[in-house]
Amino acid sequence: MLTLTVIRENRDEVIRRLAKKKFTNTALIDQIIALDDQRRSLQVQSDQLQAESNRLSKEIGILIKNGNPDGAQQAKERTARIKEEVKNLLDQMDEVTARLQELLVQIPNLPHDSVPEGAGAESNVKVKEGGLMPVLPENAWPHWDLGKKYNIIDFETGTKLTGAGFPLFRAKGAKLERALINFFLDEAIKAGYQEVLPPLMVNEDSAFATGQLPDKEGQMYQVPVDNLYLIPTAEVPVTNIFRDVILEADELPVKTVAYSPCFRREAGSYGKDVRGLNRVHQFDKVEIVQIAHPEKSYQALDEMVAHVEMLVKKLQLPYRIMKLCGGDMSFTSALTYDFEVYAAAQKKWLEVSSVSNFESFQANRLKLRFRENGSKKTQLAHTLNGSALALPRIVAAILENNQTDRGIAVPAVLIPYTDFEWID
RNA sequence: GGAGAGAUGGCCGAGUGGUCUAAGGCGCACGCCUGGAGAGCGUGUAAUCGCCAAAAGCGGUUCGAGGGUUCGAAUCCCUCUCUCUCCGCCA
């Protein structure tokens, strides 16, 4: 969520920049400013009355001690009246504050000035392309058929156990998952990230702080008896580690990596592009998160993009890096790069990573602050995250691109992790 | 699941209705002292909202969370959350 200060002090600029994200509700901005004015004026009134009441209460204590019950009684009557007024003002203030919060969370993050104009995916800008396109015979198999042929991905049994979109990995398929997870984790650790293994369920506070609540609860699996949510990404628990935290500037950047399964209901996304591993309800992902100094967050973003690029290069997958346009970016992001790899049998680009700088948008909701060394003032930190990487589509691309008459060739970099060179 | 104890500042810890403006200690920062360090001495040491152009200053709120009693609550009452101890169950 944006800070009130930013909205108040840069109203016109905020409106201009939000237009790129196709947000045009100017009235909402003005309503927020008006509500904030109202809140401030209510606070001035209630502060004054409370100060008066505090002063009187002290006097009453002294009057009683000095044996002046009449004077004390008089003062009591005055405070009783003040109390009524204060309660009334505070009730109003609670209402205004709640309304303000409700509106504030509807304003998306400001896109970075470099974000391209555009309404949808077709306006995303390709910033880089790399890797070699595999040459496959015309009758190459898509990964869902390969999974069955080599008995490594069993979609039918997964459906029997849970439902569609919950694949069961078997034998070398299961080992390949583990190999990728360990490879991704090891590479992140080498790059200076500290590994955490987070809980897979979070409470309401956490879900709110990273923006899943209040209105994306339909995307999460819920455990209503205990009021918990299955995480849609490790970003949720990892980012929440820093909820209500104040760091010292010299601790920045804080680099964290986590592996976790991710659970997504994907409500309403049936039909297109959901075959096989292209879209599933449970999948494995390694996520990198950075807490950065505001002046260095774009440097951190570049570093994260380079890290992800290194991963797909080492896996020898054809890839491209897209800079998302305003209309295709997420609500919370200021700048996002998507990574896509080419799955040669499907002849499709599959999104495998999304690397974003949220600037202070997430930190504001999280109350994640830092202090310049020696300074008393706290300020919001910048947060960034990226998949490094999400497994299913990587597996899909590896299976499809590396298929041969002999079997599927395991990328060289994974062999130390799999202990086999061929899936056959 | 049963029984009991507890939650106070960065940390430890005192505080059972009225200068709590939260004692004291540790830690940390700065200064004095020292050739330097340590010890010692002194000073300072939370977050957040608001008033003010800003700084300074002033005011409000916060003692696990929320509600209540009272002129006044860290302190009394209610609800909830969490932690610890013992018993039970258990990978």
Side-chain angles (χ1 to χ4, degrees), chain A residues 190-411:
Chain A
K190 268 190 242 166
Y193 292 84
Q194 188 190 72
E195 183 183 356
V196 298
L197 187 64
L200 306 183
M201 291 191 247
V202 294
N203 58 29
E204 260 186 336
D205 285 349
S206 296
F208 179 82
T210 34
Q212 275 67 38
L213 296 180
D215 45 38
K216 293 193 195 108
E217 62 264 59
Q219 288 299 324
M220 289 188 294
Y221 289 98
Q222 306 187 21
V223 186
V225 267
D226 293 302
N227 214 7
L228 298 173
Y229 300 85
L230 273 76
I231 57 171
T233 158
E235 174 197 337
V236 175
V238 171
T239 309
N240 270 283
I241 294 171
F242 302 96
R243 170 152 49 92
D244 292 319
V245 165
I246 300 174
L247 297 161
E248 295 298 327
D250 60 13
E251 296 176 81
L252 300 175
V254 181
K255 299 163 74 173
T256 310
V257 60
Y259 153 70
S260 87
C262 302
F263 305 92
R264 298 187 183 178
R265 293 189 64 229
E266 301 288 4
S269 67
Y270 300 103
K272 224 161 64 106
D273 296 334
V274 301
R275 285 206 74 178
L277 293 175
N278 288 0
R279 190 180 296 279
V280 286
H281 291 304
Q282 178 183 329
F283 62 93
D284 293 306
K285 178 161 64 64
V286 172
E287 182 81 4
I288 52 178
V289 173
Q290 287 209 31
I291 315 296
H293 190 286
E295 283 163 23
K296 297 197 176 138
S297 67
Y298 281 94
Q299 196 180 312
L301 182 67
D302 290 345
E303 178 197 310
M304 290 166 78
V305 168
H307 180 79
V308 175
E309 184 180 6
M310 176 271 289
L311 295 176
V312 290
K313 270 186 176 164
K314 284 194 175 178
L315 291 170
Q316 296 176 297
L317 293 168
Y319 66 91
R320 59 185 196 188
I321 305 175
M322 313 295 287
K323 188 185 233 180
L324 297 195
C325 73
D328 202 31
M329 283 170 76
S330 77
F331 185 80
T332 44
S333 174
L335 182 58
T336 297
Y337 292 98
D338 270 8
F339 277 73
E340 299 177 346
V341 298
Y342 193 69
Q346 296 182 62
K347 300 192 172 65
K348 263 187 193 146
W349 288 99
L350 303 177
E351 185 194 328
V352 293
S353 176
S354 190
V355 186
S356 304
N357 187 355
F358 304 104
E359 298 191 359
S360 62
F361 194 81
Q362 266 190 336
N364 188 34
R365 234 203 238 208
L366 286 168
K367 297 192 175 55
L368 164 55
R369 292 146 293 169
F370 76 99
R371 221 189 312 258
E372 293 289 1
N373 292 64
S375 164
K376 280 190 68 141
K377 275 244 161 76
T378 62
Q379 53 179 310
L380 295 171
H382 281 194
T383 64
L384 305 94
N385 69 43
S387 349
L389 287 161
L391 268 70
R393 295 172 189 163
I394 290 287
V395 169
I398 289 174
L399 298 184
E400 294 187 15
N401 297 2
N402 296 10
Q403 59 186 300
T404 69
D405 291 341
R406 192 184 154 178
I408 293 157
V410 174

Side-chain angles (χ1 to χ4, degrees), chain A residues 168-184:
Chain A
L168 171 70
F169 293 89
R170 292 182 180 272
K172 287 186 171 176
K175 190 97 184 258
L176 180 63
E177 286 281 309
R178 263 199 299 142
L180 281 164
I181 292 164
N182 284 328
F183 167 64
F184 292 148

